[in-house]
Amino acid sequence: MSTKYLTIKKLTETVGGGTTPRMVRHYHQIGLLPEAIRSSSNYRLYNQSHVQYLRQIVALKQQGFQLEHIRQLLGNQVEPEANVTLLTRLQQHYYSIIQKISRLRQTASALERLLGGDRSCQTVRAKAIAQIKQLNADCFELEDELDPMDSLWEAFDASILSHPEAFEESLTYLLPDLSGRSEIEADLISKLVLACGDVSLVHCLKISQKAIAAAREGLKSGCQIVGDVGAISAVLDHPRLAHLGCRVDTLIDNPHIISAAEAEQEFWHSQPWQEKLLHLEPGCILVVGYAPSTLVSICQAISNKQLKPALVIGMPIGFNHAPAAKRLLINSGIPSITISGTFGGGLLAGTALNAIAQSTIEKPDCHCYLSQ
């Protein structure tokens, strides 16, 4: 057998991603994977085109695409009508997923109200659990059954009037195990969760290995801090940054920019901001929370060795460019903090820097992050 061909076992080992020979045979059966040539012993023999094709299938599956959608996406459908039909089906699939997410969020919200209650809510929590046990259906599996519990939530609402909310105490019940994270990183994660009110952010947050160290070293040296728009600069902790000797600058210094869409268009169509980017100080910290194209340009400048920041906090908003920009940042090798996917915004980007600045001042000699 020629060495340019792979057996089905070797094919799955090369592709990885949890693929098995049984899955490959199924893909052949449903017409998803092109058929292979046969050896004299009737074994399938695969080439590099099969490797690439199977990797595409695995990648799309990991993104949640159904096999029928993958077959259509990879099926070389060039007719306009076929593409319109496929887009309609993908749109319907997207709406279906959003509905499921909405129902799951409703369930998560109910659980958060139970688990996030502090000591002052223990009595109401105990009554809630007792009431849940009396329900005929499990309300946390069948979200539609939550309506009979309206009176219970009213009791929860009434219980909050006598005391302030204990945020940190609530997080002890809601956050996943962070024992594998350094103290400073765990504090950063907690502050980001509190800034957006969504615990699922933990699973989307990407902190590169040297990000915390690079941030603290830069802040201690009084590095330049650059926000992509004025709204970013507004949420930064100026007193603490001034204490560290850090100057805050704004890349797109237009006070009329109040949205991600405006920031994107301003950067795309205004040459001065792009030129200003290339003249930032070496070792600066960039905080991007609005325009995806700003982050793309930063990554390109880093790749071209035109920009050498100490850290990039990249959390722009967007449904297409933003996820791609964040992937570029992650792959750039520069110390970075980002949130994968579409999630982000100026408040989160600013909170990330503020949390590190606070820990740098309050715990200047802490080196817990170096052992991670």
Side-chain angles (χ1 to χ4, degrees):
M1 182 179 70
S2 173
T3 56
K4 69 177 180 179
Y5 292 114
L6 304 173
T7 63
I8 192 169
K9 181 179 179 182
K10 188 64 177 178
L11 172 70
T12 56
E13 290 175 350
T14 301
V15 172
T19 55
T20 65
R22 182 177 180 180
M23 292 167 64
V24 172
R25 296 188 187 98
H26 177 63
Y27 297 158
H28 283 308
Q29 186 178 7
I30 64 176
L32 181 57
L33 185 66
E35 191 54 72
I37 65 171
R38 297 278 183 166
S39 69
S40 57
S41 303
N42 203 34
Y43 288 106
R44 287 187 173 98
L45 300 177
Y46 299 90
N47 56 31
Q48 286 302 311
S49 67
H50 290 97
V51 172
Q52 296 302 320
Y53 208 95
L54 187 55
R55 281 176 174 163
Q56 287 180 297
I57 294 172
V58 171
L60 289 169
K61 278 189 64 181
Q62 290 175 343
Q63 293 297 315
F65 283 92
Q66 298 177 352
L67 292 181
E68 176 59 23
H69 293 148
I70 296 174
R71 187 183 67 78
Q72 294 178 61
L73 283 169
L74 302 181
N76 297 320
Q77 296 190 42
V78 296
E79 300 85 353
E81 291 184 3
N83 284 330
V84 170
T85 300
L86 176 57
L87 286 174
T88 299
R89 291 178 180 175
L90 291 176
Q91 188 179 43
Q92 291 172 346
H93 183 47
Y94 170 74
Y95 290 151
S96 175
I97 290 173
I98 291 300
Q99 288 177 348
K100 291 178 182 178
I101 291 174
S102 177
R103 290 195 296 269
L104 287 171
R105 284 191 180 279
Q106 185 179 4
T107 305
S109 178
L111 289 167
E112 285 165 354
R113 298 189 77 174
L114 288 172
L115 296 173
D118 52 34
R119 293 185 184 90
S120 300
C121 298
Q122 285 182 351
T123 302
V124 179
R125 180 194 294 157
K127 292 179 179 178
I129 293 173
Q131 187 167 343
I132 289 170
K133 289 180 179 180
Q134 295 175 1
L135 293 177
N136 294 327
D138 187 349
C139 68
F140 298 110
E141 292 296 333
L142 302 174
E143 292 82 356
D144 292 341
E145 296 295 330
L146 286 174
D147 289 342
M149 298 183 66
D150 282 346
S151 60
L152 169 63
W153 301 138
E154 289 175 3
F156 261 97
D157 293 342
S159 70
I160 69 173
L161 300 177
S162 61
H163 64 284
E165 182 162 353
F167 291 102
E168 298 298 330
E169 186 179 338
S170 296
L171 286 181
T172 61
Y173 296 100
L174 298 174
L175 285 175
D177 181 17
L178 298 179
S179 59
R181 310 267 194 161
S182 71
E183 179 184 350
I184 290 176
E185 194 170 328
D187 177 70
L188 168 62
I189 293 170
S190 298
K191 284 183 168 60
L192 286 170
V193 168
L194 286 176
C196 68
D198 190 344
V199 179
S200 67
L201 174 140
V202 176
H203 305 288
C204 304
L205 188 62
K206 307 295 180 184
I207 304 174
S208 70
Q209 188 174 8
K210 298 180 180 179
I212 302 297
R216 286 170 65 90
E217 290 172 8
L219 290 169
K220 287 179 179 180
S221 67
C223 68
Q224 179 188 28
I225 309 295
V226 184
D228 59 338
V229 297
I232 290 286
S233 301
V235 301
L236 295 181
D237 190 340
H238 288 261
R240 282 194 172 95
L241 292 174
H243 177 79
L244 290 164
C246 297
R247 184 179 82 256
V248 177
D249 292 316
T250 304
L251 187 62
I252 306 175
D253 196 11
N254 182 341
H256 299 292
I257 299 293
I258 60 172
S259 71
E262 291 174 342
E264 179 75 357
Q265 291 300 315
E266 182 76 8
F267 184 83
W268 190 259
H269 295 294
S270 182
Q271 192 68 27
W273 311 134
Q274 299 181 41
E275 294 175 354
K276 185 177 180 180
L277 176 65
L278 302 180
H279 293 88
L280 298 179
E281 297 175 4
C284 66
I285 293 178
L286 288 153
V287 188
V288 181
Y290 278 72
S293 289
T294 304
L295 186 56
V296 171
S297 296
I298 288 170
C299 293
Q300 291 174 339
I302 292 171
S303 178
N304 295 332
K305 303 187 185 305
Q306 298 170 298
L307 182 65
K308 296 181 66 176
L311 172 77
V312 178
I313 298 176
M315 301 179 184
I317 302 170
F319 302 100
N320 189 340
H321 289 55
K326 293 170 183 177
R327 285 192 293 269
L328 283 175
L329 177 60
I330 292 170
N331 294 330
S332 71
I334 202 75
S336 64
I337 302 174
T338 188
I339 302 172
S340 61
T342 62
F343 203 25
L347 177 60
L348 289 174
T351 297
L353 181 64
N354 290 341
I356 300 173
Q358 181 180 358
S359 70
T360 301
I361 292 174
E362 295 179 355
K363 299 181 179 181
D365 300 320
C366 178
H367 296 94
C368 60
Y369 53 90
L370 296 177
S371 62
Q372 301 302 307

